[in-house]
Amino acid sequence: MVQLGLKENWKQFALLVIINAFVGGMIGLERSILPQLAEQAFGIASKTAILSFIITFGITKAIVNYFTGKLANLLGRKKLLIVGWLFALPVPFLLIYAPNWSWIVTANVLLGINQGLTWSTAVIMKIDLVGDKNRGLAVGINEFAGYVSVGVVAFLTGYIASHYGVRPYPFYLGIGFAIVGLLLSVFFVKDTRQHVSVENKASVIPLLVSPFWDTTLRHNSLSAVTQAGLVNNLNDGMIWGLLPLLLLSKQFTSAQIGILTAIYPSVWGLSQLVTGRLSDIYSKKGLLFWGMLLQALGIIGLIGANTFTHFALIGAALGFGTALVYPTFLSAIADYTPPVQRAESLGTFRFWRDMGYAVGALMTGIIADFFGLSISIVSIGVLTALSAFVVLFRMK
């Protein structure tokens, strides 16, 4: 008999946590060294051109997120998870053997498809398994596994690059991640559509007229969460692309850059074990407001930072601010959506949230090229603060 709950489904839940750690590892491959690879191996100086790999990744992942939500009920969660890992297999080889930057961009199209399918499916399945009592905790554990993995692998690739060069050794990790993730998904994961049917029988949440438009614009609370998600990943796209370049300009070594770029996602990931649970207990609106405001202050603080300690403290603040909002986003969307429309609503939210990567990378690259790194960073900090107040005044 199908039962809802974390305790009742702990084996499948734990398996999905492990799989999502491998999903996060695929992103960590690029986190600290791809901007360096652009300058050192391909001689690319334009910030906009360097950030093209994030723009490509963000647009691809955003579109795939939406269709993952649409197809989750139609095709089943497990099939989407397996297909996602098949797209990951070529990525490390493209990064290793790329003769020009277009190969890197192509690898990020495939990586975006992989992330959209696997990460979206993993989080939908966890929410399916636990029901309505521990959604925040479930999402927090999911994001913890993914983003701690991003941070650990970002550190490892930075360390490997400092000892053996930016290619090929750092990318060997990705070959292992893709193979193990695929095998676990094929042989051990079970679909969770039956859990949705059970939960739907007890749900009293009214159906949305249009999950896409309600989540995007019409529903006050859903749309407030969605715009904050977009701005959150917009500033993450900036940090991903510009922080390594800012640190390079401050004469930090590859090993130091690896550590500093790893602090932010590591604190982000670890803290979600706590903040995910907080979103089940405390005001989601309050967590989103203060989390976005803390991010804004951290981003603006990057301008005055010069020492390793300064950057480490700011990275920790940014990580905690993001941890306050990230699991809260998804649990809030689930709270306002009936179970049968939840996958589509989550897919819509994740579409706009991850479109923030592309918007952020493009915006910050253009501003940085025309006005310099400092103006670019301050602009994103101010925009993040404005997003916090949209949550404060629009969300119920």
Side-chain angles (χ1 to χ4, degrees):
M1 189 177 91
V2 173
Q3 291 182 294
L4 302 177
L6 187 55
K7 185 190 296 183
E8 291 81 358
N9 297 285
W10 72 268
K11 290 181 181 178
Q12 276 293 298
F13 191 92
L15 175 62
L16 289 166
V17 169
I18 293 168
I19 287 172
N20 212 55
F22 289 120
V23 176
M26 294 299 296
I27 291 286
L29 287 178
E30 300 189 340
R31 194 87 194 192
S32 65
I33 60 175
L34 229 57
Q36 296 176 67
L37 184 67
E39 290 193 340
Q40 295 172 15
F42 300 110
I44 299 173
S46 164
K47 305 297 184 293
T48 309
I50 289 174
L51 300 189
S52 61
F53 80 93
I54 302 176
I55 297 167
T56 307
F57 168 81
I59 292 173
T60 305
K61 184 170 184 272
I63 293 169
V64 174
N65 279 338
Y66 175 69
F67 284 103
T68 299
K70 289 281 286 185
L71 296 173
N73 292 331
L74 185 64
L75 299 180
R77 277 77 159 146
K78 176 170 178 169
K79 288 179 182 176
L80 293 177
L81 193 60
I82 292 169
V83 172
W85 280 116
L86 291 174
F87 277 98
L89 291 173
V91 171
F93 297 100
L94 287 169
L95 296 174
I96 289 168
Y97 296 110
N100 56 60
W101 192 246
S102 64
W103 280 48
I104 304 293
V105 173
T106 301
N108 275 269
V109 171
L110 297 178
L111 186 63
I113 296 171
N114 157 255
Q115 295 290 306
L117 287 168
T118 53
W119 201 307
S120 293
T121 303
V123 77
I124 288 169
M125 292 178 83
K126 288 187 183 71
I127 291 174
D128 291 345
L129 290 171
V130 302
D132 62 355
K133 290 184 180 178
N134 292 300
R135 278 190 194 129
L137 179 61
V139 174
I141 293 171
N142 182 77
E143 305 299 291
F144 155 78
Y147 284 99
V148 166
S149 182
V150 171
V152 169
V153 176
F155 167 73
L156 288 174
T157 53
Y159 178 82
I160 294 168
S162 69
H163 284 77
Y164 304 104
V166 291
R167 290 199 294 183
Y169 296 104
F171 300 118
Y172 286 165
L173 294 170
I175 299 171
F177 296 154
I179 291 171
V180 175
L182 177 61
L183 293 175
L184 289 174
S185 300
V186 170
F187 293 109
F188 298 103
V189 169
K190 298 174 184 176
D191 212 299
T192 57
R193 279 186 291 183
Q194 287 182 307
H195 293 76
V196 177
S197 299
V198 170
E199 187 184 353
N200 195 56
K201 291 175 184 176
S203 175
V204 294
I205 303 171
L207 289 172
L208 300 174
V209 176
S210 166
F212 179 84
W213 288 112
D214 286 335
T215 307
T216 301
L217 194 63
R218 287 197 300 232
H219 191 291
N220 282 356
S221 296
L222 285 172
S223 61
V225 175
T226 298
Q227 66 81 29
L230 187 148
V231 174
N232 180 92
N233 278 24
L234 183 151
N235 70 48
D236 185 37
M238 181 275 290
I239 294 164
W240 183 357
L242 294 190
L243 182 58
L245 300 177
L246 180 64
L247 295 172
L248 272 175
S249 73
K250 303 280 187 180
Q251 310 303 313
F252 288 102
T253 67
S254 291
Q256 289 175 318
I257 292 172
I259 293 168
L260 290 172
T261 53
I263 288 171
Y264 161 57
S266 297
V267 172
W268 173 359
L270 284 166
S271 300
Q272 285 179 106
L273 283 176
V274 176
T275 59
R277 183 61 183 146
L278 288 178
S279 73
D280 289 324
I281 301 170
Y282 295 109
S283 162
K284 291 179 173 64
K285 177 178 177 176
L287 291 173
L288 293 177
F289 172 74
W290 290 109
M292 295 300 288
L293 201 59
L294 180 57
Q295 288 177 53
L297 295 172
I299 290 166
I300 294 170
L302 287 170
I303 301 305
N306 286 302
T307 68
F308 185 93
T309 302
H310 285 159
F311 282 106
L313 290 172
I314 289 171
L318 285 170
F320 187 69
T322 309
L324 284 172
V325 301
Y326 230 68
T328 310
F329 285 147
L330 299 178
S331 61
I333 294 289
D335 279 356
Y336 291 112
T337 314
V340 290
Q341 293 179 316
R342 186 169 59 216
E344 188 174 353
S345 191
L346 285 169
T348 300
F349 165 77
R350 290 171 67 86
F351 166 78
W352 289 115
R353 190 196 67 187
D354 288 337
M355 194 60 79
Y357 278 126
V359 176
L362 182 62
M363 180 188 298
T364 55
I366 291 171
I367 297 172
D369 279 335
F370 281 93
F371 302 103
L373 281 175
S374 296
I375 297 297
S376 182
I377 291 168
V378 169
S379 300
I380 300 304
V382 171
L383 187 60
T384 303
L386 290 174
S387 176
F389 285 96
V390 171
V391 168
L392 186 63
F393 293 114
R394 186 165 171 81
M395 188 175 174
K396 293 180 181 177

